[in-house]
Amino acid sequence: MLTHFIGGQPVAAGKTFPVHDPVTGAVVRQVHEADPEVVDRAVRAAREAARDWAAMPVGERAGWMRRLAEGIEARFDDLVAAEIADTGKPLDQTRTLDIPRGIANFRAFAEIAAQRPEDAFHLSGVLSYTVRRPLGVVAVIVPWNLPFLLMTWKLAPALVSGNTVVVKPSEQTPGSAAVFAELCAEAGLPPGVVNIIFGYGSAGQLLVEHPWVNAVTFTGSTATGTTIMKSVADRVKPISFELGGKNAGLVFEDCDLDKAVEGAVKSVFTNGGQVCLCTERLYVHRSIFEDFCARLAARAQEVELQPMISAEHREKVLSYYALARSEGAKVLAGGSVPVFGDHRDSGYFVEPTVVTGLSEWSRFNREEIFGPVCHVAPFDSEAEAVDLANGSEYGLAATLWTTNLDRAHRVAQRLEAGLVWVNTWYLRDLRTPFGGVKLSGIGREGGTRSLDFYSEPTTITIKLEQPDA
Ligand code: 6OD
């Protein structure tokens, strides 16, 4: 039974709910669900810890971040097991991406914060400088697709900046957060600095609306983001949102076709397509279109399957497979439910799917699906490719495949997206700004941008009197 973690202690309060293994559909754990009292208790614990934590020199807080990174290393196998039990992720991906990124997040933000200079300005006898103060208590709302990676991506900069936090993981993936709570206690982190509560969106709603929560960071759907935004508007709380995407991949005729096909496979199917950065719209130069489609469709049938997170999400993805057909698509690969003949048949799998032939105005090509699926369409010119990529209400990420250096820069700079990858996908430097434009979010995190969000500058100006001549 998973309990909340409040004020450094496990708290077994509230009714319970089940978490299902997406591979088999079986219940893997029961979890306590935060009610209004639990939410309030967690926020109070965070607020009580806030003063001492904020007063600690940043170098000491950076030391705590390094200790948490060591704690993750010590509990690595437990974190891997918890993450896989909740998500059905492949072992290799969990061991090389999800959990290591937690370690990297804490180490990177320890360095970035400890080395960050303050601003100072001197002009005609007037000296101004800034000091940065933490915001107070930050609500950290984490999605189910990369639970540990995204929780730590937000926690590390929030904590090192001097905030205390209340984390609300997705109800579908509480396991790795529960192990993290244990390792915070094992590391001796001061009680109340990290609090973790479990529950559904209703618990998240109570959390973000709590008057003592000073800021909200959220990664998830655009629909939930707009709900949170409205809820916190009348208290003018700072928000940082990384939301949905309908990301484009552009494959030019001068690309290295082998690399472009493999890159597309990765960008469409990784994590079962359940990454906000995944490509759902591929545009391919007409001269290589048929060849590219044939190769992508063949590779789609070979990828390691990862289940959808829930029965409900599988239904949603399958409804888009049906929609594609009803909108007139040609299905090049997949389009259905795989049959294994074993325990996985009661899990939440769908076939990796490639379709073509739909208009840009089809619902399939406009709405985020968040599954292992993409639409492929031909283009004739660079200008057309840019227009097609930009013709979406979303603008999180885009990927280009070309060997022409001028074209790479020219096109990348014209794309309406917060992130553009050239001849690669989801390659991360944690110092870079990360986030989206249009419906894909508001604000940027990453490197000093995270530190900017999790703190506020006070400008101090002194007039320097000149001695009498
Ligand atoms: O890698 C990251 O830092 C990041 N924020 C990934 C977000 C993925 C969304 O599904």
Side-chain angles (χ1 to χ4, degrees):
M1 174 77 65
L2 297 192
T3 59
H4 312 293
F5 179 67
I6 299 178
Q9 300 293 328
V11 172
K15 41 185 205 188
T16 62
F17 65 91
V19 174
H20 295 263
D21 173 0
V23 175
T24 62
V27 172
V28 277
R29 44 174 126 254
Q30 294 286 338
V31 187
H32 279 281
E33 180 183 353
D35 56 19
E37 210 175 304
V38 168
V39 174
D40 186 56
R41 205 164 144 187
V43 176
R44 281 171 192 275
R47 185 168 157 117
E48 274 163 29
R51 182 188 294 236
D52 287 353
W53 185 252
M56 190 183 278
V58 65
E60 271 182 50
R61 287 197 301 264
W64 277 110
M65 299 306 103
R66 293 187 197 100
R67 282 194 280 286
L68 290 177
E70 285 160 17
I72 296 171
E73 282 170 336
R75 299 291 302 273
F76 193 88
D77 290 342
D78 296 333
L79 287 161
V80 168
E83 198 82 325
I84 290 177
D86 288 351
T87 61
K89 285 175 193 279
L91 176 65
D92 186 49
Q93 180 196 310
T94 315
R95 292 189 70 84
T96 56
L97 170 68
D98 296 80
I99 309 305
R101 253 302 292 280
I103 299 166
N105 287 335
F106 280 108
R107 295 228 161 100
F109 283 106
E111 297 316 312
I112 294 166
Q115 290 171 14
R116 186 178 197 191
E118 294 287 1
D119 292 327
F121 310 86
H122 187 205
L123 185 71
S124 308
V126 179
L127 173 66
S128 297
Y129 66 96
T130 58
V131 288
R132 298 200 74 90
R133 299 172 194 283
L135 303 170
V137 176
V138 177
V140 178
I141 313 281
V142 186
W144 47 258
N145 61 335
L146 301 168
F148 193 68
L149 185 158
L150 286 174
M151 178 179 75
T152 52
W153 165 246
K154 295 169 181 302
L155 274 186
L159 293 174
V160 82
S161 298
N163 304 282
T164 57
V165 299
V166 180
V167 184
K168 212 287 286 171
S170 163
E171 69 278 9
Q172 282 149 342
T173 53
S176 54
V179 177
F180 183 75
E182 288 170 11
L183 74 86
C184 287
E186 286 155 12
L189 189 71
V193 169
V194 170
N195 305 277
I196 299 177
I197 58 169
F198 298 115
Y200 293 88
S202 50
Q205 188 69 18
L206 289 166
L207 176 62
V208 300
E209 285 176 355
H210 195 293
W212 289 353
V213 164
N214 303 100
V216 180
T217 176
F218 167 73
T219 297
S221 71
T222 301
T224 306
T226 54
T227 304
I228 296 177
M229 206 166 180
K230 287 176 195 152
S231 320
V232 302
D234 58 3
R235 297 193 82 93
V236 203
K237 295 185 188 185
I239 49 169
S240 175
F241 287 173
E242 190 205 322
L243 306 175
K246 189 74 186 173
N247 306 306
L250 302 184
V251 184
F252 289 94
E253 67 281 16
D254 54 31
C255 72
D256 175 327
L257 194 56
D258 291 340
K259 285 192 185 144
V261 171
E262 283 317 301
V265 167
K266 208 171 153 200
S267 77
V268 175
F269 301 122
T270 294
N271 214 46
Q274 301 167 114
V275 181
C276 55
L277 309 162
C278 279
T279 303
E280 291 194 2
R281 297 179 296 139
L282 272 166
Y283 300 105
V284 182
H285 192 267
R286 197 175 297 278
S287 62
I288 55 170
F289 181 72
E290 295 299 333
D291 193 9
F292 182 91
C293 286
R295 292 171 69 165
L296 181 65
R299 288 287 291 112
Q301 291 163 54
E302 295 167 357
V303 298
E304 184 177 0
L305 300 190
Q306 179 175 333
M308 302 298 92
I309 193 65
S310 63
E312 187 190 8
H313 187 54
R314 181 172 79 152
E315 284 317 305
K316 177 188 159 185
V317 174
L318 289 174
S319 77
Y320 278 94
Y321 289 8
L323 178 70
R325 288 193 173 92
S326 70
E327 288 186 316
K330 181 172 172 200
V331 179
L332 301 177
S336 186
V337 172
V339 177
F340 299 100
D342 59 26
H343 59 287
R344 290 171 292 175
D345 287 338
S346 53
Y348 310 142
F349 292 89
V350 297
E351 284 179 344
T353 294
V354 180
V355 305
T356 187
L358 292 176
S359 107
E360 289 304 300
W361 297 102
S362 62
R363 269 186 58 212
F364 190 93
N365 267 332
R366 303 189 69 78
E367 298 176 9
E368 184 182 44
I369 302 170
F370 220 61
V373 57
C374 68
H375 179 267
V376 198
F379 67 81
D380 293 299
S381 70
E382 185 180 299
E384 185 192 1
V386 170
D387 284 348
L388 288 165
N390 288 343
S392 166
E393 291 178 291
Y394 293 99
L396 185 56
T399 308
L400 318 182
W401 301 93
T402 176
T403 54
N404 178 328
L405 189 61
D406 291 330
R407 168 175 273 164
H409 288 288
R410 193 168 58 231
V411 173
Q413 291 175 23
R414 291 183 58 203
L415 291 176
E416 295 166 4
L419 306 152
V420 179
W421 280 290
V422 180
N423 296 329
T424 186
W425 175 76
Y426 199 12
L427 186 60
R428 296 280 288 111
D429 179 331
L430 303 185
R431 297 168 300 178
T432 54
F434 191 98
V437 303
K438 301 193 266 188
L439 288 185
S440 291
I442 184 162
R444 292 288 181 278
E445 297 193 37
T448 54
R449 301 301 183 107
S450 294
L451 303 184
D452 284 345
F453 173 69
Y454 292 109
S455 66
E456 278 176 329
T458 297
T459 301
I460 300 169
T461 299
I462 305 178
K463 183 167 189 314
L464 304 174
E465 296 297 342
Q466 301 302 318
D468 293 338

